[in-house]
Amino acid sequence: MTESDRPSPEAFLRQAAQEGRGRLKVFLGAAPGVGKTWEMLTDGRQRRDAGVDVVIGVVETHGRRETEALVHGHEIVPRRTIDHQGHSLGEMDIDAILERRPQLVLVDELAHTNAPGSRHPKRYQDIEELLDAGIDVYSTINIQHVESLNDVVASFTRVRVRETVPDSILENAEIEVVDIPPDELIERLRDGKVYIPQEATRALTHFFSKSNLTALRELALRRAAQAVDAQMLDHVRSHALAGSFAVGERIVVAVSERPVAAGLVRAGKRLADALRAPWTAVYIETRRSRSLTDDDRKQLADTLALASRLGASTATVPAASVVEGLQAFARDARATQIVIGKSARPWWFEMRHGSVVDQLVRTIDDVAVHVLPGEPDARAAPRPRLAMPGRWGKPSDFIWSLAMVAAMTALGRLLIEVIDLGNISLLYLVPVMFAAATFGLRAGLFAGLVSSLAYNFFFLPPTGTLTVNNPENVISILVLLGVAIVTSQFAAGVRAQADLAQSSARQNAALASFSRQLTAAADQDALMQAICAEVGRLLDVRTVLLLPSADGPMLRAAVPPEDRLEQIERAAAQWAMDNEQPAGRGSSTLTASDWLFHPLRTTRGVRGVIGLTRDDAGEPVRSDQVPLLMSLLDQASIALDRMELEEESLRARQVDERDRLRSALLSSVSHDLRTPLTTILSAAQEMQRHPSAEMAETIESEARRLNRFVSNLLDMVRVEAGALPMKVEATDLFDAAASAAHDTRASLAGHEVKVDISPNIPLVRVDPVLLHHCLINLLDNAGRYADPETPITIRARRTADAIELSVVDQGPGITPGNEKRVFETFTRLEGSDRAKHGTGLGLAIVKGFAEAMGLSVAASNNDDPHGAHFTIRIPDALIITALTDKDIP
């Protein structure tokens, strides 16, 4: 099986990974109102009529009568109700769908953000779970919700969409574009078929302008075409189908080390822009690449960097010849057009080596070849060849070759009596092949010539001379010499290919190691230090990394760490940032600097610059290291950009969390402060008219309640600030439980508190005040939710490695799946009585205090009798088996 006939393992594995999963079909629109939901329901009805089991998971009709009419007849899975901040929100019930297990489920609005308390924060994650279960899903999305296009849409609509979907969701989905012309959509908007009239008027002057809708429509069509093209390529590669499948243009620009290659890159960019097609600049690395000069390598690196700046993908491919390499790359990339330059070679050069362009045009099928003229002065000014010391090889190479010939001669003299003279000549092929494969072509040719002379001198009569009496022996010598030359050529070619493959493997291994190091970085500082360390190790240079700041480039990492930059270096770094081009030593700008600075570019701009220098004051980067450096910079740029996006996402989540806490705090304060204050004011006014002990008791009770709430707020602040004062001493758990029960007797009125703690339970090393607060909050929590007139139990049990101190009530218990969430700050569980009582602070304080003392806390449910069970676990290390001086206060 040839390489072109072999299925792509990567594409085959991607297709195999989809086996057993449900299929996702996405109805993609340019804007709201194009009819995505209508089209999804229509397709769903057709599938239902064809005998497919179809249900509706969630559909938003937005009050449109024609859409509501399509819903009728479909089975609808009821939504799950979630109470959030006093509002009842309906979300798709995943568990009900999984239990119902239909063949197809219709789920509207793929980018929707679920209400707090849902299993997943995003609806596309719900859909992923359904797909994993083997259920097919139809869904809808507008183009502005695609993550990679978010910035593009915001640039012309001036609207930043917050709800986005990762591109990976669409990569494996079947996409159907729901498209109507902008004028027709604007008419629908004016007719009130999209928004109510007041909102429609505002939308027409902003988001729904004709220019915006046209641009969004183009983005939707292009994104769908890209997805279809990628899926088509995966299919043809996994099935090893021949042909370019030129439904979309894909351009390859063949570059070389010559200055004319920059013109090829610019021509390729113009062609790609005209065809609106992806393009790649590729360099084919052959045996000839080993003889490139430093200037050639620098020119090649500049050409590839230019292609990258112009938006091309770049690649370096090792191959036996330029034609074979281009054919293989074009076949793998399914290229439809190739741009290549034709140099003005002398006729004798093309007679000897052939023409790359002519061979490519004759041998490649289904691909258009654009040939651009080369340098007009190439005939008059041939390129200089690389003058390398030791070009002919080391003297030891020829000495070893001569020794091998001598060894074969001695062996032949020993065997001359038992084998024919003609077979003796075959022995000399051994040193020829050994020399060519080990030391190169010239050593192989030398071994072939010496072998011919040795065969003539020692074996052909008259022996001891170079005279040949028999003409037949002349033919033997010439054949031996010819075979030696051909064998040397083949062996040297194989060795050169092996060297190229080994060099490519080393570079790939270095890039893979670099990628692993970057992936392992936990934060931005660790990532930047890893970039400097790995680039310095792989290129044997000193490195620094600077990020942009208001005061100029800021040094953030260096290897070695003591490196500091002078003013000229900072100026070079700033220039590299501003102009997105290298600056400093070895570049064309600010060459007085000892450092060479390269920008770290991404689609979002320059993320920083990396500086390189050598201790020996040589060029920071050798010419043969430039391709590796460019690959390292690309990976470093992507890693930095990824880390920045993660940190931005984390900051956004923190802002959302602060907003949630602030909202919850305001809601809690408005209830838990206002209620007791209102009661106190009413009781005080009543006492002014009719003084009574009952009113005084009410005031005292509500004041205690208010004081406890304020204390909880202060305790929570101390927990989150890590400022809890600790005074650890030997504590008796029975005394701690009895004290807590006594202090909560008012709030636990109507409940009997049972203390079930054996006298044999040992003392523990804890802070008695914090433990007291933990028990008070647990008892107060039990008093709120336990059924009336039921007992509340405090018990302690010794286990193999801990003491478990528990508070158990008899009430509705905890909603399954929320055993950990009850300890979160301001958490009030939706859909239960726990959403109606308390502030959501008490249990969070218990968890904070317990962890500060080295304890852990957990929640669960009892079966008989039913109720909540909260347990503080005291580990063995804090259990006192024998009192010491430090345990005596």
Side-chain angles (χ1 to χ4, degrees):
M1 180 179 288
T2 65
E3 183 69 23
S4 60
D5 295 331
R6 184 173 68 90
S8 167
E10 294 81 5
F12 188 77
L13 287 174
R14 281 194 294 271
Q15 288 204 350
Q18 299 302 312
E19 294 295 327
R21 276 174 55 90
R23 292 179 300 171
L24 172 63
K25 181 175 181 179
V26 174
F27 295 85
L28 176 66
V34 297
K36 302 180 299 300
T37 304
W38 190 91
E39 190 70 26
M40 178 183 71
L41 290 169
T42 301
D43 273 25
R45 172 166 290 186
Q46 292 173 354
R47 293 289 303 278
R48 187 195 66 192
D49 294 342
V52 176
D53 183 13
V54 182
V55 302
I56 290 179
V58 57
V59 164
E60 304 292 349
T61 63
H62 300 289
R64 299 166 189 158
R65 288 190 298 273
E66 63 273 19
T67 306
E68 291 175 349
L70 287 173
V71 172
H72 294 303
H74 279 295
E75 178 184 347
I76 301 175
V77 177
R79 301 190 191 188
R80 185 167 66 94
T81 301
I82 296 177
D83 292 330
H84 178 62
Q85 297 183 359
H87 299 282
S88 294
L89 305 177
E91 294 292 355
M92 182 173 66
D93 194 336
I94 309 175
D95 293 323
I97 295 174
L98 291 173
E99 184 178 355
R100 168 66 174 74
R101 201 167 185 80
Q103 293 175 280
L104 172 64
V105 59
L106 310 183
V107 183
D108 210 359
E109 296 186 0
L110 179 63
H112 172 75
T113 299
N114 291 330
S118 301
R119 181 182 306 176
H120 302 120
K122 294 288 188 177
R123 183 168 288 169
Y124 70 80
Q125 295 171 317
D126 297 341
I127 290 176
E128 283 286 293
E129 185 172 345
L130 295 176
L131 295 174
D132 289 337
I135 300 173
D136 293 345
V137 177
Y138 282 0
S139 190
T140 64
I141 190 175
N142 288 321
I143 191 64
Q144 64 266 30
H145 294 287
V146 178
E147 178 65 45
S148 63
L149 300 176
N150 189 256
D151 291 337
V152 178
V153 173
S155 66
F156 61 82
T157 63
R158 301 294 186 269
V159 176
R160 173 71 66 174
V161 177
R162 298 299 177 188
E163 293 182 323
T164 59
V165 171
D167 290 57
S168 58
I169 300 296
L170 302 181
E171 288 173 359
N172 297 317
E174 177 188 348
I175 296 180
E176 178 176 326
V177 178
V178 182
D179 181 49
I180 62 174
D183 291 334
E184 186 175 337
L185 179 57
I186 290 173
E187 283 299 319
R188 285 175 52 83
L189 191 70
R190 287 173 176 161
D191 293 342
K193 296 180 179 179
V194 180
Y195 295 129
I196 59 176
Q198 295 84 350
E199 293 182 353
T201 303
R202 185 169 62 253
L204 282 170
T205 59
H206 294 87
F207 189 86
F208 279 81
S209 67
K210 185 173 182 178
S211 58
N212 285 350
L213 292 177
T214 303
L216 290 169
R217 186 187 188 197
E218 181 180 357
L219 280 177
L221 294 172
R222 288 191 180 283
R223 186 62 184 82
Q226 290 173 6
V228 172
D229 188 59
Q231 292 167 9
M232 181 269 296
L233 288 179
D234 249 12
H235 176 77
V236 299
R237 286 169 180 163
S238 63
H239 291 79
L241 301 179
S244 62
F245 289 82
V247 293
E249 299 293 341
R250 292 178 287 275
I251 300 169
V252 171
V253 180
V255 301
S256 68
E257 73 285 355
R258 295 178 176 274
V260 71
L264 294 178
V265 168
R266 295 186 181 94
K269 168 64 174 174
R270 292 193 296 271
L271 181 62
D273 286 346
L275 298 175
R276 298 185 180 275
W279 62 297
T280 303
V282 60
Y283 171 69
I284 307 300
E285 187 177 15
T286 63
R287 292 171 53 189
R288 175 178 164 277
S289 303
R290 301 171 62 189
S291 64
L292 296 182
T293 65
D294 287 346
D295 289 340
D296 290 337
R297 295 184 185 278
K298 186 176 185 305
Q299 180 65 50
L300 175 61
D302 291 344
T303 301
L304 292 175
L306 173 64
S308 181
R309 287 199 302 274
L310 294 178
S313 302
T314 60
T316 300
V317 179
S321 68
V322 173
V323 174
E324 289 182 17
L326 274 177
Q327 286 177 327
F329 186 82
R331 182 173 57 245
D332 183 63
R334 306 287 169 170
T336 60
Q337 305 199 37
I338 294 179
V339 179
I340 191 170
K342 181 174 178 62
S343 300
R345 302 285 193 182
W347 65 269
W348 55 266
F349 185 92
E350 292 195 359
M351 287 286 292
R352 177 184 174 190
H353 299 284
S355 169
V356 171
V357 172
D358 292 343
Q359 293 179 43
L360 185 65
V361 171
R362 284 197 304 269
T363 57
I364 199 164
D365 298 323
D366 300 328
V367 179
V369 180
H370 300 263
V371 181
L372 275 65
E375 312 97 309
D377 58 343
R379 190 188 306 272
R383 291 176 60 252
R385 294 180 67 88
L386 178 63
M388 295 186 300
R391 164 176 188 166
W392 288 88
K394 297 179 292 187
S396 60
D397 299 347
F398 297 94
I399 293 173
W400 277 105
S401 301
L402 188 61
M404 286 288 294
V405 173
M408 290 302 104
T409 301
L411 181 61
R413 295 298 296 176
L414 293 174
L415 299 176
I416 189 64
E417 301 297 334
V418 295
I419 63 175
D420 294 336
L421 183 63
N423 293 330
I424 294 293
S425 64
L426 299 179
L427 294 175
Y428 286 104
L429 294 180
V430 175
V432 172
M433 296 180 65
F434 172 80
T438 307
F439 306 123
L441 177 62
R442 292 176 178 81
L445 294 176
F446 171 76
L449 180 61
V450 174
S451 296
S452 299
L453 295 175
Y455 179 63
N456 183 14
F457 188 84
F458 290 103
F459 296 101
L460 294 181
T463 58
T465 69
L466 296 178
T467 304
V468 181
N469 287 339
N470 189 348
E472 293 180 359
N473 293 335
V474 175
I475 296 175
S476 298
I477 294 174
L478 293 177
V479 169
L480 176 61
L481 185 60
V483 170
I485 292 173
V486 172
T487 304
S488 298
Q489 290 277 12
F490 277 121
V494 170
R495 184 189 180 209
Q497 284 298 103
D499 289 344
L500 283 175
Q502 187 176 16
S503 173
S504 177
R506 282 197 302 268
Q507 179 167 326
N508 290 337
L511 292 174
S513 173
F514 186 61
S515 178
R516 285 195 300 271
Q517 293 291 333
L518 300 190
T519 304
D523 53 40
Q524 192 179 55
D525 290 335
L527 173 64
M528 291 186 291
Q529 196 64 29
I531 291 173
C532 287
E534 286 299 298
V535 172
R537 181 181 67 83
L538 294 172
L539 302 180
D540 191 24
V541 293
R542 290 159 50 198
T543 56
V544 294
L545 196 149
L546 302 94
L547 297 185
S549 70
D551 300 325
M554 178 186 299
L555 182 64
R556 294 293 301 273
V559 174
E562 64 271 9
D563 271 325
R564 293 295 179 266
L565 301 179
E566 303 296 334
Q567 191 62 34
I568 183 65
E569 277 78 30
R570 292 188 176 275
Q574 185 66 60
W575 194 92
M577 278 187 189
D578 294 341
N579 295 275
E580 300 188 14
Q581 293 187 26
R585 189 183 185 90
S587 70
S588 58
T589 304
L590 297 173
T591 56
S593 170
D594 291 334
W595 292 76
L596 170 64
F597 293 93
H598 276 275
L600 300 174
R601 294 186 298 267
T602 67
T603 55
R604 300 199 306 149
V606 174
R607 312 265 50 98
V609 294
I610 188 168
L612 308 98
T613 190
R614 291 188 182 276
D615 292 327
D616 56 9
E619 288 291 325
V621 181
R622 299 194 309 270
S623 58
D624 60 314
Q625 294 177 326
V626 171
L628 176 59
L629 172 63
M630 302 308 295
S631 298
L632 295 176
L633 294 181
D634 287 342
Q635 285 201 27
S637 303
I638 293 171
L640 270 178
D641 197 41
R642 174 184 57 80
M643 187 64 74
E644 287 189 15
L645 288 173
E646 287 179 357
E647 292 186 352
E648 289 177 7
S649 176
L650 177 60
R651 286 194 292 271
R653 288 197 299 270
Q654 290 173 342
V655 170
D656 289 342
E657 180 65 14
R658 284 199 299 269
D659 289 343
R660 185 187 73 82
L661 291 177
R662 184 182 299 111
S663 176
L665 176 61
L666 291 175
S667 174
S668 175
V669 167
S670 65
H671 176 270
D672 290 273
L673 280 182
R674 182 179 298 169
T675 301
L677 282 175
T678 302
T679 304
I680 291 172
L681 289 174
S682 299
Q685 291 171 358
E686 183 64 24
M687 281 192 67
Q688 287 178 349
R689 294 191 295 269
H690 307 288
S692 69
E694 182 181 355
M695 289 296 103
E697 186 177 344
T698 300
I699 292 175
E700 181 183 5
S701 173
E702 293 300 318
R704 289 181 183 279
R705 175 182 171 187
L706 189 59
N707 181 65
R708 186 165 58 252
F709 175 69
V710 173
S711 298
N712 281 344
L713 284 177
L714 295 176
D715 287 341
M716 199 65 244
V717 171
R718 288 192 295 163
V719 168
E720 294 183 347
L724 286 174
M726 294 281 291
K727 186 180 179 182
V728 177
E729 59 185 59
T731 304
D732 185 288
L733 293 180
F734 184 88
D735 290 345
S739 176
H742 178 271
D743 289 350
T744 54
R745 63 189 185 281
S747 60
L748 299 181
H751 296 280
E752 178 188 3
V753 179
K754 297 180 179 180
V755 179
D756 180 14
I757 298 179
S758 170
N760 297 325
I761 290 291
L763 303 180
V764 294
R765 292 190 183 94
V766 295
D767 185 319
V769 176
L770 295 186
L771 181 62
H772 183 73
H773 278 290
C774 289
L775 291 173
I776 285 178
N777 279 290
L778 289 178
L779 289 170
D780 184 65
N781 178 79
R784 285 199 188 98
Y785 306 112
D787 293 336
E789 307 300 327
T790 58
I792 297 172
T793 303
I794 308 174
R795 67 180 177 216
R797 294 290 184 266
R798 186 76 160 92
T799 64
D801 58 349
I803 292 176
E804 294 184 348
L805 181 63
S806 305
V807 175
V808 184
D809 66 53
Q810 297 179 24
I814 301 168
T815 307
N818 290 296
E819 289 83 356
K820 292 183 179 180
R821 287 194 60 236
V822 293
F823 294 105
E824 295 177 5
T825 308
F826 292 118
T827 295
R828 293 193 253 183
L829 302 182
E830 295 85 353
S832 73
D833 290 337
R834 293 180 180 270
K836 304 173 185 177
H837 302 280
T839 64
L841 280 176
L843 296 179
I845 291 171
V846 171
K847 182 174 183 291
F849 283 6
E851 290 178 349
M853 293 186 288
L855 317 179
S856 60
V857 62
S860 61
N861 284 319
N862 281 335
D863 292 330
D864 187 23
H866 188 72
H869 187 139
F870 292 89
T871 301
I872 299 174
R873 190 174 186 276
I874 306 170
D876 232 355
L878 300 180
I879 299 174
I880 300 174
T881 55
L883 286 176
T884 62
D885 290 341
K886 68 177 182 179
D887 296 321
I888 301 175

